[in-house]
């Protein structure tokens, strides 16, 4: 085995034996499948749902917020790429930190991102139910939550190929709606609808610009970028090895950032001279109001439905798949109950992990109906904390354990990512930090119990 690379070429091609595992999941995904998976997870039309919130926080400079968000996240994406090349296995940051930094750090990183992965489907179901509630108020939002959970669970249990095909259908639908908005918005701006003119003010408004405004908005906008990291959970189901996973991670983030910037720039132009939407209703329906300006009431309804399906079905579908793979990976290493490591002999999916995620999502979804803000902040904490550990893992593995001298990619990049993510985490919602720290404390207790029971957290590094 080369001293320059922590895994052999065989391992990069999909040989799991060096890590003490057997190939149990079906290896059928391509680069295109991973790109679709990542895009669906991040939702190309995600700004539709939170445009008003980010608009208010940034005083109208929404596209600038997404530019900064992309810059912040690209450092993390590069760190994921490097660690996925070193360890081409399921488990995401749990597997990377456990091998690159320390097994205990890996467990806590996995435990932290579980908070993200377990709550993401719940958040998406609640968001989708709220969107459809504005279209069909007579139907209780709880009914939509139940329907979303059932549909996604069935699709995921059918196998990864079915999930991949469904992803493509939903992504196509989202892109069609987005393309329609772009065309209608360009026409509306060119005609001066609502006083709109072509200007770069949404990118930089010197009259109201303050760095603190942008970083405050970034803490909200970063939620839209969460999901590119989940591509790494599909490593054991991908053809072409670890390089495909790393390439898909960076490409998916770049593509979705471009889509976010374009759509929010056009939407901001259509509310010229405005730096705030007043009231919760106006803020939550800000993008839908813009959609009505460019296309009329029918287009507003179409955008609302697309948002609901994009978040609560498409995004939740891949979120459930990613969460089940993380549970499978941790259970396989005896860090969680062993029954979660069971794989269906025919469909080759971790069916018990899928079912557990669906049950948890259903219970939490019914409990948290209407509480989107709290769920969003908790999701952010779990993801951001795990990203911090990821960046430390890159430095520890490549510079300390492998004694490489690749300071640019393995020191400067993770250091930049660590500082940016750390700033956002420190300035996040107080309730989110309290809830997140309580969750981490529970994780520490679980880790201690595992040690007392004689279960090792040591992971094979190849």
């Amino acid at each position: 085995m080369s001293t320059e690379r922590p895994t052999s070429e065989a391992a990069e091609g999909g040989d799991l034996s060096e890590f003490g595992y057997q190939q149990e999941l079906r290896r059928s995904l391509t680069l295109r499948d991973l790109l679709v998976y990542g895009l669906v997870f991040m939702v190309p039309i995600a700004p539709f749902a939170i445009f008003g919130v980010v608009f208010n926080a940034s005083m109208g400079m929404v596209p600038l917020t997404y530019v900064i968000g992309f810059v912040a996240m690209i450092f993390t994406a590069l760190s994921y790429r490097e660690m996925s090349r070193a360890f081409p296995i399921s488990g995401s940051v749990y597997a990377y930190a456990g091998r690159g930094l320390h097994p205990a750090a890996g467990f806590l990183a996995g435990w932290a991102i579980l908070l993200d992965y377990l709550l993401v489907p719940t958040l998406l179901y609640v968001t989708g139910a709220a969107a459809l509630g504005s279209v069909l108020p007579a139907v209780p939002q709880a009914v939509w939550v139940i329907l979303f959970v059932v549909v996604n669970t069935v699709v995921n249990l059918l196998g990864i190929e079915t999930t991949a095909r469904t992803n493509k259908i939903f992504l196509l639908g989202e892109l069609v709606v987005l393309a329609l908005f772009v065309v209608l918005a360009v026409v509306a701006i060119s005609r001066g609808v609502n006083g709109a003119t072509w200007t770069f003010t949404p990118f930089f408004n010197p009259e109201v610009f303050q760095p603190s405004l942008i970083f405050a908005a970034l803490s909200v906008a970063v939620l839209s970028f969460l999901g590119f990291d989940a591509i790494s959970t599909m490593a054991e189901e991908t053809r072409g090895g670890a390089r495909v996973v790393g390439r898909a991670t960076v490409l998916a983030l770049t593509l979705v950032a471009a889509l976010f910037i374009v759509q929010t720039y056009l939407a901001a132009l259509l509310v010229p001279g405005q730096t705030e939407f007043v009231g919760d209703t106006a803020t939550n329906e800000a993008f839908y109001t813009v959609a009505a300006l460019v296309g009329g009431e029918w287009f507003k309804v179409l955008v609302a439905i697309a948002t609901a399906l994009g978040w609560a079905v498409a995004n939740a579908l891949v979120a459930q798949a990613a969460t089940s793979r993380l549970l499978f990976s941790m259970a396989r290493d005896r860090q969680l109950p062993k029954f979660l490591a069971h794989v269906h002999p025919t469909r080759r999916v971790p069916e018990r992990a899928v079912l557990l995620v669906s049950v948890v999502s259903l219970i939490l979804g019914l409990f948290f109906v209407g509480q989107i803000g709290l769920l969003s902040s908790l999701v952010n904490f779990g993801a951001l904390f795990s990203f911090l550990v990821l960046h430390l893992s890159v430095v520890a593995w490549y510079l300390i354990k492998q004694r490489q001298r690749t300071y640019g990619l393995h020191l400067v990049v993770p250091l930049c990512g660590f500082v940016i993510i750390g700033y956002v985490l420190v300035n996040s919602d107080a309730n989110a930090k309290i809830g997140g720290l309580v969750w981490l404390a529970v994780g520490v207790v679980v880790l201690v119990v595992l040690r007392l029971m004689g279960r090792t957290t040591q992971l094979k590094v190849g």
Side-chain angles (χ1 to χ4, degrees):
M1 184 167 59
S2 170
T3 57
E4 294 297 320
R5 190 176 298 278
T7 61
S8 67
E9 291 300 320
E12 284 204 346
D15 182 8
L16 302 179
S17 61
E18 292 191 26
F19 303 99
Y21 305 132
Q22 294 180 341
Q23 182 67 49
E24 298 180 85
L25 304 177
R26 180 167 292 152
R27 196 176 286 279
S28 59
L29 300 179
T30 63
L31 174 62
R32 180 181 297 178
D33 292 326
L34 292 182
L35 279 175
V36 171
Y37 179 87
L39 289 172
V40 170
F41 206 131
M42 289 182 281
V43 188
I45 58 174
F48 286 10
I50 61 174
F51 176 77
V53 176
V54 182
F55 188 95
N56 287 356
S58 64
M59 301 288 283
M61 292 175 285
V62 185
L64 175 60
T65 300
Y66 281 108
V67 169
I68 296 175
F70 169 69
V71 173
M73 289 292 109
I74 195 63
F75 293 110
T76 301
L78 289 172
S79 288
Y80 263 103
R81 185 191 69 179
E82 293 306 298
M83 293 307 285
S84 70
R85 289 178 175 179
F87 306 109
I89 52 181
S90 294
S92 187
V93 69
Y94 155 72
Y96 304 154
R99 291 170 171 83
L101 195 59
H102 188 275
F107 177 85
L108 290 178
W111 185 262
I113 209 165
L114 265 180
L115 180 63
D116 170 15
Y117 283 5
L118 286 174
L119 290 181
V120 160
T122 302
L123 169 63
L124 300 172
Y125 295 138
V126 171
T127 302
L132 288 184
S134 66
V135 178
L136 297 171
V139 180
Q141 293 187 22
V143 173
W144 294 118
V145 171
I146 295 171
L147 179 62
F148 294 148
V149 172
V150 171
V151 170
N152 284 348
T153 301
V154 170
V155 173
N156 270 318
L157 287 176
L158 289 176
I160 193 63
E161 294 93 343
T162 303
T163 302
R165 286 194 295 269
T166 306
N167 288 342
K168 292 175 182 176
I169 294 172
F170 276 112
L171 178 61
L172 178 61
E174 290 179 39
L175 293 178
V176 167
V177 174
L178 179 55
L180 187 56
F181 169 75
V182 169
V183 171
L184 291 174
V186 169
V187 172
I189 295 167
S190 299
R191 292 180 176 177
V193 172
N194 200 38
T197 57
W198 292 104
T199 174
F200 285 103
T201 301
F203 281 103
F204 183 73
N205 185 351
E207 295 181 3
V208 298
F209 177 80
Q210 295 178 18
S212 59
L213 286 176
I214 298 304
F215 282 104
L218 178 59
S219 64
V220 178
V222 74
L223 178 64
S224 301
F225 289 105
L226 298 184
F228 69 89
D229 54 294
I231 292 175
S232 62
T233 65
M234 298 291 136
E236 293 180 30
E237 295 164 271
T238 301
R239 297 201 305 262
R243 291 189 178 277
V244 174
V245 174
R247 192 178 305 129
T249 300
V250 176
L251 282 176
L253 179 63
T254 303
L255 287 173
V256 84
L259 295 176
F260 287 171
I261 293 166
V262 169
Q263 64 191 273
T264 56
Y265 172 60
L266 295 174
L269 288 178
L270 286 157
V271 283
Q274 189 170 330
T275 57
E276 182 182 9
F277 289 95
V278 180
D280 290 341
T281 300
T283 300
N284 293 334
E285 298 184 2
F287 202 98
Y288 308 137
T289 301
V290 173
L293 283 174
V294 303
E297 192 64 26
W298 70 271
F299 189 59
K300 174 182 177 180
V301 172
L302 176 63
V303 167
I305 293 176
T307 301
L309 296 180
W311 282 64
V313 180
N315 193 350
L317 176 68
V318 294
Q320 185 185 58
T323 308
S324 65
R325 270 59 177 183
L326 177 60
L327 292 173
F328 161 77
S329 183
M330 296 183 72
R332 181 175 60 181
D333 292 328
R334 299 183 67 207
Q335 309 301 298
L336 290 176
K338 188 177 180 180
F339 81 93
L340 293 173
H342 175 77
V343 175
H344 192 278
T346 304
R347 295 189 292 272
R348 306 280 290 278
V349 296
E351 58 176 351
R352 293 175 184 172
V354 171
L355 289 172
L356 176 62
V357 176
S358 66
V359 171
V360 171
S361 298
L362 179 60
I363 295 172
L364 293 178
L366 295 176
F367 181 79
F368 283 107
V369 164
Q371 300 184 55
I372 297 175
L374 177 59
L375 282 171
S376 299
S377 59
L378 286 172
V379 165
N380 273 347
F381 182 94
L384 295 175
F385 179 85
S386 67
F387 291 168
L388 291 179
V389 180
L390 169 75
H391 289 303
L392 294 176
S393 302
V394 173
V395 177
W397 177 255
Y398 282 99
L399 299 188
I400 299 176
K401 294 186 177 182
Q402 296 300 301
R403 297 183 179 180
Q404 296 186 12
R405 295 297 177 261
T406 47
Y407 296 113
L409 198 54
H410 300 139
L411 179 61
V412 176
V413 167
L415 180 60
C416 291
F418 186 92
V419 171
I420 294 171
I421 297 299
Y423 181 90
V424 176
L425 184 60
V426 168
N427 290 279
S428 61
D429 181 76
N431 291 328
K433 286 186 283 190
I434 294 173
L437 290 174
V438 169
W439 176 259
L440 285 178
V442 173
V444 171
V445 172
V446 172
L447 181 61
V448 171
V449 171
L450 287 174
R451 291 290 179 86
L452 293 177
M453 292 174 62
R455 293 192 185 182
T456 178
T457 55
Q458 194 67 38
L459 301 175
K460 193 171 181 180
V461 298

